[in-house]
Amino acid sequence: MKSRTLAGHDGDAAAEPQASAGAHSPRPLFLKTKGILAFVAMVIYVMLIGTATEVQRQNLLRGVGKLEQAHRVEAQLLEINTSMARTLLAVNLTFSADDLAAASIRAMIEVEATLSLLESIQDAHPEIAGFAGSLHADVRNIAQAPNIDVLGRMRATLNGLIIELDRITQEAHAARLSLLDDYRQNYDRITLSGLAMLVVGLILLGAVIAIFFSRLTWDIRKLEAHARGIVMGRRDSPMHVTRNDELGSLMRAVNQMQEDLRQHERNIERARLELFHREKMVAVGSLAAQLAHEINNPIAAITGVASAMSQVQEAGRCPNRGCTCKPGLILEQARRISLITRQIADFTRPQTQQPELLNLNELVRNTCAFVSYDRRFRRISLTTELDDEMPAIRAIADHLTQVLMNLLINAADALDEMPSEHQGEIRVLTRVGEREATIEISDNAGGIAPEMIERVFEEYFTTKPAGKGTGLGLALSRELIQDAGGSIALESTPGQGTTVRVTLPLLAAEQAA
């Protein structure tokens, strides 16, 4: 049915995901909590910086301790070298001294002073122990009997010891310089790493703050624009909630407000359409009653004349008997006029708005008879196939009448757009199942495109020309049928036609019986 009015599930479909999202949404993380977490993260970061700095500071302190130890060792070696120089000078002077014994004693004193200093480094430098042993032996020998040979050996030992001490001193000096370089490198590394961590922390903090407030500003503007759209009448789709804090709660509240407004407006529109339908039917009924009243007198006169003509004809006194005089035809058409006016008056009589037991077949039959007077049905073949075993159902007659009229008129509108040579057909059938009664309305119009089927019941969507359809007919029909506990579905094949299937429960009727 190419021009069939489509309206529908959009409001409910939008509300269900929103309700589902609200039912399964995680616990809100408020802005205050986010601020506390950000503060805790900043404190942890500062503590990490402090811990890393403290570790590096301890390493630097250990380096300082090693450097101080190297300074002490180097100073000690300097003192030993000085003593060695004095000792070697004293030994050399013994060779030219007039009093060898007195010079030897002075040399012995210097050697023993040097040996006492060497004892402090022998543990660190075991190679000195051999020289120290030789000097002790030479001192004992000189103490017993000073002679030039022993002094010569002592001088040679001192020269070897000086060479060894010079090597040790150079190594100590090199070690001190290496420790000093390490200290400088560690100091520079601590300074640079601390500065880098501080800069990185500030950059990260600034980036997080900028992103947070930018996103907050963007979401506030989006919420403001959506709220303005709601005020201006926007009801299409809810806003996507991307936050889980107070602003997210506000977004969900605005979405809920939008859904509530949509539902309220839908209820108002439904009430308006129902009132319009009832008023229209009442107006038609009132007009039909007035017409019937006005027509009754002429019809009564015509019937009387026709009856008199029929009596004259039956008496054999009519000269035109069997030719142009047909009083039976006049009587038949007069009774038909009376029946039509009575049917219209009965059909449009105000109905109760409470569920009641209904003869579904009679309601379908009367509705089809009423709409058949519409000019759109002049070239349409409207047929009914009603199940004779259909039990009474409990529903609101006015609602079912409104639904059937909407569906029949939609089918007629679709057929009205077909070529004039196309023979339009609308078939209405009822059948009863085990637990439900079914009404099917089928047409042989152009059908509905597959991409339109998915939107079939969307609110305010219609393929009819502007001014011919509002897009609320099927939406209201679906709601009325759902209120009765039933369902409505649509099937369509492009180029072949469309079938609308309405199902109504039988349980209510059985329980009522």
Side-chain angles (χ1 to χ4, degrees), residues 109-173:
I109 294 172
E110 292 293 338
V111 170
E112 289 177 351
T114 301
L115 288 173
S116 63
L117 293 175
L118 289 176
E119 290 178 357
S120 61
I121 64 171
Q122 284 185 16
D123 293 336
H125 302 283
E127 64 273 14
I128 297 178
F131 293 100
S134 296
L135 289 175
H136 278 294
D138 292 338
V139 169
R140 285 193 300 270
N141 291 331
I142 291 175
Q144 294 175 359
N147 60 71
I148 297 301
D149 294 334
V150 175
L151 291 172
R153 288 197 303 272
M154 182 181 290
R155 184 171 62 181
T157 302
L158 289 171
N159 286 327
L161 182 57
I162 288 173
I163 294 173
E164 184 65 24
L165 287 173
D166 185 60
R167 182 187 65 79
I168 293 173
T169 301
Q170 291 179 358
E171 290 179 355
H173 182 69

Side-chain angles (χ1 to χ4, degrees), residues 124-384:
H125 302 283
E127 64 273 14
I128 297 178
F131 293 100
S134 296
L135 289 175
H136 278 294
D138 292 338
V139 169
R140 285 193 300 270
N141 291 331
I142 291 175
Q144 294 175 359
N147 60 71
I148 297 301
D149 294 334
V150 175
L151 291 172
R153 288 197 303 272
M154 182 181 290
R155 184 171 62 181
T157 302
L158 289 171
N159 286 327
L161 182 57
I162 288 173
I163 294 173
E164 184 65 24
L165 287 173
D166 185 60
R167 182 187 65 79
I168 293 173
T169 301
Q170 291 179 358
E171 290 179 355
H173 182 69
R176 184 180 66 82
L177 293 179
S178 177
L179 289 173
L180 183 59
D181 289 339
D182 290 342
Y183 172 80
R184 290 173 179 171
Q185 292 176 2
N186 288 334
Y187 181 83
D188 293 340
R189 183 168 57 252
I190 291 174
T191 304
L192 292 176
S193 61
L195 182 61
M197 294 178 72
L198 179 61
V199 172
V200 169
L202 291 176
I203 292 175
L204 288 176
L205 180 62
V208 169
I209 292 175
I211 293 173
F212 175 79
F213 282 103
S214 296
R215 184 169 175 262
L216 182 64
T217 303
W218 170 259
D219 288 337
I220 291 175
R221 289 177 178 174
K222 183 173 68 172
L223 178 61
E224 179 186 7
H226 191 77
R228 289 181 181 274
I230 294 175
V231 173
M232 298 299 294
R234 177 184 175 184
R235 302 290 186 269
D236 50 356
S237 59
M239 177 174 50
H240 180 59
V241 180
T242 57
R243 305 180 66 91
N244 197 32
D245 49 20
E246 290 91 342
L247 187 57
S249 299
L250 182 58
M251 289 179 174
R252 283 185 283 272
V254 171
N255 286 339
Q256 185 61 45
M257 179 186 69
Q258 179 184 4
E259 178 58 28
D260 292 343
L261 286 174
R262 178 187 298 165
Q263 185 63 38
H264 182 66
E265 292 172 352
R266 186 186 297 118
N267 293 337
I268 293 176
E269 185 64 20
R270 171 179 169 174
R272 186 186 68 82
L273 291 176
E274 291 182 11
L275 179 62
F276 174 74
H277 171 76
R278 289 194 297 270
E279 290 178 348
K280 179 176 66 175
M281 298 301 288
V282 169
V284 172
S286 176
L287 178 61
Q290 293 177 10
L291 289 175
H293 178 72
E294 296 295 332
I295 292 174
N296 278 339
N297 291 332
I299 289 179
I302 293 172
T303 302
V305 172
S307 297
M309 292 173 61
S310 179
Q311 293 174 2
V312 172
Q313 187 182 51
E314 291 174 357
R317 296 192 299 273
C318 181
N320 295 323
R321 181 180 182 183
C323 299
T324 58
C325 183
K326 297 180 180 180
L329 180 61
I330 298 174
L331 288 172
E332 179 184 354
Q333 296 303 319
R335 284 194 296 270
R336 183 184 176 191
I337 294 173
S338 298
L339 176 62
I340 290 173
T341 56
R342 187 169 60 253
Q343 285 179 341
I344 294 176
D346 292 340
F347 183 78
T348 56
R349 185 181 298 113
Q351 303 287 338
T352 177
Q353 297 301 306
Q354 298 299 324
E356 58 182 347
L357 289 177
L358 301 175
N359 185 333
L360 184 61
N361 286 343
E362 182 181 357
L363 186 144
V364 171
R365 189 182 296 110
N366 291 339
T367 304
C368 290
F370 179 74
V371 299
S372 64
Y373 300 124
D374 191 296
R375 61 177 180 80
R376 285 170 286 194
F377 288 83
R378 291 176 183 173
R379 62 184 186 93
I380 296 176
S381 173
L382 177 61
T383 60
T384 58

Side-chain angles (χ1 to χ4, degrees), residues 401-416:
T401 300
Q402 188 173 354
V403 170
L404 290 173
M405 289 182 64
N406 280 336
L407 298 178
L408 289 169
I409 291 174
N410 281 346
D413 286 339
L415 289 168
D416 192 45

